[in-house]
Amino acid sequence: MRCPYCGEQESRVVDSRGVDDGVRRRRKCLACNMRFTTYERVQPHDIFVIKKDGRREEFKRDKLLSGIRKACEKRPLPTGAIDKFIDDIEADLYRLGKTEVPSSYIGDLVMEGLKKLDHIAYIRFASVYREFADIGALKQEVDSLAARRESTPANQLSLPSSEVANSVVGRRR
Ligand SMILES: [Zn+2]
């Protein structure tokens, strides 16, 4: 680790302490005696998403985030809920310890999570992700959600299914 003041390569570690996701080291340059700090972090391995058509694409948090933001547009979610949601999905993916993950696996994780987070966002995401063939298939999904009304988050009113279907269909026109 090169000294930022004089460029010397050699330094001595004078203090070392663990921080959230790594180690913080206080160093003293052997040439100029200036002190500086370095951080060591574990770099999670890259994950590649295998698309339906077999193409490989590097997993990008931002891409996932923008899709989920779109689904959650104007939904009454607490601040930070979407970021936390993405954090959890990312953590799940890295925990798998695999370098390649099918896009359907990620899609399913998102669907499961959104179902708990917000029903409208779930339906919006599902209508794009599952590419509902027609309004009948969409209505079926909405009805099955309505049947599971007991799992509606406490702070969220459930809407009549026709209203949900209209809001989705309206967006796609
Ligand atoms: Zn130095």
Side-chain angles (χ1 to χ4, degrees):
M1 185 62 62
R2 211 175 264 280
C3 168
Y5 303 100
C6 72
E8 167 66 35
Q9 295 266 24
E10 301 295 313
S11 61
R12 189 163 63 88
V13 173
V14 292
D15 182 46
S16 172
R17 98 173 55 132
V19 287
D20 282 351
D21 54 350
V23 183
R24 175 186 182 278
R25 292 205 166 88
R26 193 78 182 131
R27 293 170 183 271
K28 188 178 170 192
C29 173
L30 294 186
C32 71
N33 284 332
M34 292 293 276
R35 286 160 186 254
F36 57 98
T37 305
T38 58
Y39 291 90
E40 243 177 62
R41 277 210 176 79
V42 173
Q43 174 75 54
H45 62 278
D46 287 341
I47 290 180
F48 288 90
V49 181
I50 310 298
K51 321 268 277 188
K52 258 185 257 168
D53 60 10
R55 275 182 305 131
R56 242 163 137 261
E57 194 175 81
E58 198 180 326
F59 170 73
K60 292 252 165 60
R61 179 191 167 98
D62 288 350
K63 203 176 161 193
L64 185 61
L65 183 62
S66 76
I68 289 170
R69 277 231 178 93
K70 208 173 281 172
C72 294
E73 213 167 37
K74 298 196 179 136
R75 297 302 302 152
L77 296 173
T79 312
I82 296 178
D83 283 314
K84 164 90 170 55
F85 183 76
I86 305 274
D87 284 349
D88 290 347
I89 287 184
E90 219 178 2
D92 275 351
L93 289 180
Y94 283 117
R95 210 172 293 131
L96 279 179
K98 295 197 171 136
T99 50
E100 296 190 345
V101 180
S103 61
S104 59
Y105 182 88
I106 300 176
D108 290 347
L109 269 186
V110 172
M111 302 261 285
E112 277 307 304
L114 282 182
K115 205 182 275 184
K116 286 178 210 140
L117 192 67
D118 186 284
H119 284 172
I120 301 287
Y122 166 76
I123 289 291
R124 283 178 186 162
F125 185 85
S127 72
V128 174
Y129 172 66
R130 278 204 188 145
E131 296 163 353
F132 288 123
D134 52 41
I135 188 70
L138 175 59
K139 178 146 191 332
Q140 217 170 25
E141 184 70 25
V142 172
D143 287 344
S144 88
L145 265 188
R148 247 180 273 141
R149 196 164 291 173
E150 68 274 14
S151 67
T152 302
N155 61 351
Q156 197 179 317
L157 293 172
S158 46
L159 292 175
S161 60
S162 61
E163 203 171 317
V164 177
N166 285 339
S167 88
V168 175
V169 172
R171 280 167 50 86
R172 306 185 84 194
R173 225 171 254 153

